[in-house]
Amino acid sequence: MRAEEKKKRQIRRNVRRFWVRPIFNAERRFAQGASNNLVQEMVFEDREKFFNFFRLTPEMCEKLLQIVSPHIEKQFVIRELISARTRLQICLRYLTSGDSMVSVSYAFRVGHNTVSKIVSETCEVIWDTLKDMVFVKPTEDKWNFPNCIGAIDEKHIVLQAPPNSGSMYYNYKGTHSLVLMAVADANYRISLLDIGAPGRRNDGGVFNASEIGKRLQNGMLSIPSPRPVEHGGQALPFVLIGDEAFPLTRYMLRPYPRSGRLNRRKNVFNYRLSRARRIVESVFGILSARMRIFRKPIIASVRTATRIIKAATCLHNFIISEELKLPHTQRRYATLNVHERELRGTGLEDAGTFDRSRPTESSAQIRDDFATFFETTGAVPWQWEKVLQNNF
């Protein structure tokens, strides 16, 4: 008898009180949800607030919707479906506001569990549909650092501690994180990235284990062949630039160690490299300012967090690429200092493959060659004062 009563109690507990809560039904969603009310008001009456709400202009949202809607539109079966437009807006609001899924749920009049599924599915679709469009082939970076194809660095994306993960994701900052390693170009776009390394690894370990590091070591990335940095000058290889955490190789330059006494030539090189490497720091700053989900721990599984990071980087490049089509005065983030903008020079042809049969110099000699160039024919007027004041 007791077994039967226990079974009945278990059945009663498993019976759902609501199929859809009244406050989240289709009628309430249409009458009071943000998608059909607040968002529409901002489109027609306050475009500035629309940009503040989604971090995209209405035109960018429409273009993005056209790209992703065939993949996120659902078929009507029993209940009224949530439109592709609302699904995309829910995902964008979650990424750009930093609010919890519960807060987004109330704003759009959609159940919390449904928001979680929408965010995960839409982030995956954004990555699948945009990755081949927005991640451009690495080309020459022109921040007064010739033959530079990009600046590389890493950012720890903080997570709520994953269950049963031990210290795998625990980093030196005392938080749990996934590592986003990115290569940035001079237009604040990400050209290469690696996502998902646990936070406990250091920068060098993440780079060596990443697909980027492996392909660079094996000569499988499209890197231009060495070319003269000036007419008739010495041919220097194309390189990435990074900080002290990255290795010094034939394809990667890092600063001279500050532990020893540096002469003027080495100080000039360190300044020029530091100045060029700031672009990737700016990219991470813009990414966090635009995608405020990164300003606090992400409360999601590692799989969903990885999808969120992938979608956010795609959206970052998508917005930058769209802004670059606008007049300079209308851009929000993709702006350059006037002095730097005048010095960017001309573009570079599509990169060819790296010729592994070509004899290579030692990595230290390559760095010395760049240092000599920056002190002589490649000098810029303001570098001397910066080096003298050690102001970098």
Side-chain angles (χ1 to χ4, degrees), residues 14-30:
N14 291 338
V15 173
R16 297 177 61 172
R17 292 177 57 201
F18 302 101
W19 182 253
V20 177
R21 286 183 177 272
I23 63 171
F24 294 146
N25 64 32
E27 291 77 13
R28 300 277 184 91
R29 187 185 313 126
F30 181 79

Side-chain angles (χ1 to χ4, degrees), residues 6 56 78 182 200 224 265 301 348 361:
K6 186 176 180 180
L56 289 86
I78 299 175
R200 66 181 297 177
R265 180 173 64 90
S301 65
L348 177 71
E361 300 173 299

Side-chain angles (χ1 to χ4, degrees), residues 227-259:
R227 74 169 189 183
V229 293
E230 59 181 352
H231 183 68
Q234 180 184 3
L236 293 177
F238 283 82
V239 293
L240 292 172
I241 54 175
D243 59 19
E244 292 86 348
F246 291 94
L248 176 65
T249 66
R250 68 182 186 277
Y251 48 78
M252 175 88 70
L253 292 183
R254 54 182 263 178
Y256 285 101
R258 297 179 182 270
S259 56

Side-chain angles (χ1 to χ4, degrees), residues 271-291:
Y271 163 65
R272 296 287 289 274
L273 184 141
S274 174
R275 182 174 181 271
R277 202 184 63 80
R278 283 183 304 183
I279 190 69
V280 70
E281 301 287 353
S282 298
V283 166
F284 289 146
I286 294 171
L287 183 64
S288 296
R290 178 178 283 133
M291 305 294 168

